[in-house]
Amino acid sequence: MLNVDTIKNGLVIDHIRAGTGPRIFQWLKLDKADFCVALIMNAPSKTMGRKDIIKIDNIINIDYSVLGFIDPNITVNIVKDEHIAKKITLSLPDKVENIIKCKNPRCITSTETYVHHTFHLVDRTRAEYRCEFCDELYRAGTGEGLQ
């Protein structure tokens, strides 16, 4: 059995879809962290079968809407004095800006670099977002187009 020490003050990003943990680890730039971090992959889960977990022995600022966009089933536990002080349940955000890039070469965002890549949630059950400028559809949770 794998044993990862308890964190004293920090974050535990839990219930990450198996295989998605490395993408989140990279997006958070945890590979450059000067504090203790752990990426646990394919941990057994009663509800999910397998899951990834990220433990961060530090309190860092995270854009929870981005995490919710990557995987809306993620939970974030804020740990203080080795106890869970707060549990945050994520969901798909209504709007995402500069998280993904529009893949349509005719979109204004591909030629005008100052224009923000803005997508609006149009179908919560299918996790579909639409580009504000060209109506290109994008599905959350695929990791495709992440900036």
Side-chain angles (χ1 to χ4, degrees), residues 8-147:
K8 296 184 184 345
N9 295 296
L11 303 171
V12 177
I13 305 171
D14 199 358
H15 302 104
I16 303 169
R17 185 175 49 253
T20 310
R23 188 173 335 126
I24 294 170
F25 196 87
Q26 181 182 15
W27 176 76
L28 292 172
K29 296 180 177 35
L30 293 173
D31 55 328
K32 294 174 179 37
D34 61 352
F35 43 84
C36 188
V37 295
L39 169 60
I40 303 159
M41 296 181 61
N42 295 313
S45 168
K46 291 177 186 167
T47 56
M48 301 172 68
R50 298 251 172 235
K51 67 179 179 178
D52 292 352
I53 304 166
I54 298 173
K55 289 186 167 193
I56 306 166
D57 199 16
N58 195 4
I59 300 290
I60 61 172
N61 289 328
I62 295 177
D63 186 344
Y64 295 119
S65 64
V66 176
L67 284 182
F69 178 78
I70 294 170
D71 185 350
N73 299 310
I74 289 174
T75 56
V76 178
N77 298 318
I78 299 172
V79 178
K80 292 189 178 169
D81 299 321
E82 297 184 13
H83 292 54
I84 296 174
K86 185 175 183 183
K87 186 178 211 111
I88 300 168
T89 305
L90 303 181
S91 62
L92 288 171
D94 293 327
K95 174 182 167 183
V96 292
E97 192 170 280
N98 293 329
I99 295 172
I100 52 171
K101 255 183 149 167
C102 186
K103 56 189 174 211
N104 181 353
R106 292 182 304 253
C107 183
I108 190 171
T109 59
S110 65
T111 57
E112 304 295 334
T113 56
Y114 64 89
V115 177
H116 294 287
H117 294 262
T118 306
F119 289 78
H120 297 275
L121 182 63
V122 292
D123 188 333
R124 190 169 294 280
T125 56
R126 294 182 58 196
E128 276 188 343
Y129 285 80
R130 185 178 307 277
C131 176
E132 183 173 78
F133 302 102
C134 72
D135 294 333
E136 185 79 18
L137 287 176
Y138 180 87
R139 282 190 82 173
T142 63
E144 179 186 327
L146 274 179
Q147 289 192 34

